[in-house]
Amino acid sequence: MLRPGVLQRYWDWLDLPEHTVRLSLSEGSTPLIPMPRLAKDLGGGFDLYVKYEGLNPTGSFKDRGLVAAVGEAVGRGARTVICASTGNTAASSAAYAARAGVRAVVLVPEGKIALGKLAGALAYGATVVQIQGSFDHALALVREATQRYPIALVNSINPYRLQGQKTAAFEIVDALGRAPDWLAIPVGNAGNITAYWMGFKQYHAAKGSGLPQLLGVQAQGAAPLVLGHPVEHPETVATAIRIGRPARGEEALAAARESGGRIIAVPDDAILAMQRALAREGVWVEPASAAGLAGLAAEIETGRLDPRGKTIVAVVTGHGLKDPDIILRQAVDLPSIPPRLDALHPYLLAD
Ligand code: F0G
C-alpha cells in the first residue's frame, strides 16, 4: 500500500502556497514507542514515549520540513536550494532536491559533521562545501548568498520548514488522543521546538486537544538560550546542536515560557549516557537526539519536574546510524580470535 507523506496527510492543516509541489518520500508517520524500562529507571509512575524521528527517509525529522520548503521553492521556479547545516538538513535538502530534480548546495562546518550525514548529502548528489568556521558562520553566508543570487534558502528561517515540521505534533496528538503533559526535545537552531508549539496550538484551537509543557534541551557547551547570549565557540559531542546563535531562539524561548515549561542545558556525558540507555532498550539515536531525554532525567532527578501520573513524550530526532563514529570510538578492544571453538568458549558464557 502506498504511504502518504506529510503534505498529503495534513495538507489542509498547513499554511503553504498553492504553488507548492507536493513531493513525498513517505516521510512522517513515525512511531511513538513506549519506554517502560527507562521510565522505571527514572522513578516510575508515568508513561514515557519516544517519537522516533530517525525513521524518516533520510534518518531525521528534517524530512518533514524539507519536503515542504523544497516543494514550495520548486513550485515558484527555483532551480537551486541552499542551506547551512550541521548535517541532517544537508542530507534531507539534498534528498528532496534530488526528488524534485533541482540542485542542492549545502554548507557544513568543516570537520564537525557526522559521517552518515556527509555521506548522505553526497549520495543524494548535493554540492557540499566545507566552511572554515561553525554552523553560525555557514548560516550567515547562506543568508548573504540568497540575497545576491537567485537561490532558495531552505534553513528553518524559511517559514515553510516549520509548516512541515509541525506535523510531528499532529501525529503525537492523533496517536495519544490528546497532547502529552510534557514534551522533551533537543534544541539547536530552535526551529523544531518552535514548529511543535505551532502544531500543538493549532490542534488545540481546532480540537481542544490540550497543550504540553515544553522542555527544550541544549548541550552545555552550546547553550545560548540558557546563558542568555550567543556562544562564539560552541562545543559539544552532539554536533547536530553545536550552534551558538540560534535563528529562532527568541521564538523558542517564548514558546517554552508560554507553555509553562523551560529551556535547560545538559553536559555531554549525560547526553552520551542517555544515548546508551536508549540503545539498551533497542532505540539507537544520534547523540543530539538523546539530549531531550537527558534533560528530562536531570529535571526528574533534581525534583524540578514531578512526572507522576503524567504522559511524557521525548522527541528523538535522528537515527544512530548517522554518527557511528561516536559508538565505535567507545568500543575499545574488540576480541579477535582464530576460528576455533575453544577460543570462542570464554565469550559464550560471559554475562
Ligand atoms: N536533533 C538533530 C538530530 C538535529 O539535526 C538538529 C538540528 C536538532 C536536533 C535541533 O533542531 O535546530 O530545529 O533546534 N540540526 C540542524 C541541521 C541544525 O543542520 O541539521 P533545531
Side-chain angles (χ1 to χ4, degrees):
M1 192 168 59
L2 286 179
R3 199 173 109 189
V6 296
L7 299 188
Q8 288 76 39
R9 274 185 84 192
Y10 291 111
W11 180 259
D12 291 341
W13 294 86
L14 307 183
D15 190 7
L16 291 171
E18 264 317 308
H19 67 241
T20 303
V21 177
R22 297 181 203 189
L23 302 170
S24 169
L25 286 168
S26 295
E27 62 290 321
S29 304
T30 56
L32 260 189
I33 304 179
M35 305 297 282
R37 242 161 59 200
L38 188 55
K40 196 159 161 251
D41 288 348
L42 295 176
F46 67 106
D47 289 325
L48 178 64
Y49 300 87
V50 294
K51 177 75 171 156
Y52 195 12
E53 288 288 276
L55 294 187
N56 276 295
T58 78
S60 85
F61 73 96
K62 302 288 181 179
D63 294 342
R64 297 177 184 276
L66 270 310
V67 71
V70 174
E72 188 282 329
V74 173
R76 72 179 137 86
R79 303 299 304 155
T80 302
V81 299
I82 189 169
C83 66
S85 180
T86 55
N88 281 322
T89 301
S92 185
S93 68
Y96 286 94
R99 191 77 179 160
V102 300
R103 274 189 71 221
V105 179
V106 306
L107 275 50
V108 300
E110 184 164 13
K112 297 290 183 181
I113 154 172
L115 202 63
K117 304 176 188 180
L118 185 59
L122 292 170
Y124 298 123
T127 301
V128 179
V129 184
Q130 305 185 90
I131 302 298
Q132 296 159 8
S134 69
F135 169 86
D136 305 296
H137 297 110
L139 183 57
L141 192 53
V142 162
R143 287 183 199 256
E144 206 183 326
T146 49
Q147 277 161 19
R148 302 272 284 276
Y149 297 82
I151 297 180
L153 181 155
V154 293
N155 278 105
S156 61
I157 43 182
N158 176 324
Y160 307 121
R161 278 279 304 278
L162 302 200
Q163 289 299 313
Q165 283 175 215
K166 74 183 180 186
T167 59
F170 297 163
E171 287 179 11
I172 290 173
V173 175
D174 288 341
L176 294 177
R178 63 173 183 89
D181 298 300
W182 278 94
L183 184 89
I185 181 170
V187 174
N189 209 27
N192 208 30
I193 189 171
T194 304
Y196 268 88
W197 188 236
M198 281 173 53
F200 282 121
K201 281 205 301 189
Q202 187 180 352
Y203 249 33
H204 182 55
K207 305 183 173 200
S209 45
L211 293 168
Q213 288 177 271
L214 300 178
L215 183 69
V217 185
Q218 303 202 286
Q220 218 156 62
L225 301 182
V226 179
L227 296 170
H229 58 76
V231 174
E232 278 317 313
H233 301 289
E235 213 36 86
T236 168
V237 68
T239 52
I241 52 173
R242 186 175 166 272
I243 292 174
R245 211 176 272 276
R248 290 197 183 264
E250 288 307 318
E251 285 157 274
L253 285 167
R257 210 178 305 123
E258 203 182 321
S259 77
R262 51 197 171 270
I263 296 183
I264 62 165
V266 291
D268 279 3
D269 57 358
I271 292 174
L272 292 178
M274 186 52 76
Q275 183 192 31
R276 283 192 296 274
L278 277 166
R280 299 294 187 268
E281 257 195 277
V283 178
W284 181 27
V285 303
E286 66 166 286
S289 303
L293 264 169
L296 177 71
E299 291 293 280
I300 292 175
E301 275 159 23
T302 54
R304 284 191 293 263
L305 193 158
D306 182 1
R308 281 171 301 176
K310 302 271 163 57
T311 297
I312 302 182
V313 171
V315 183
V316 294
T317 44
H319 204 288
L321 284 167
K322 291 275 189 172
D323 196 356
D325 279 4
I326 204 90
I327 300 298
L328 294 176
R329 264 190 267 140
Q330 298 167 64
V332 282
D333 292 337
L334 293 182
S336 169
I337 60 164
R340 285 194 331 259
L341 189 58
D342 62 323
L344 181 61
H345 176 78
Y347 300 102
L348 299 179
L349 300 177
D351 50 322

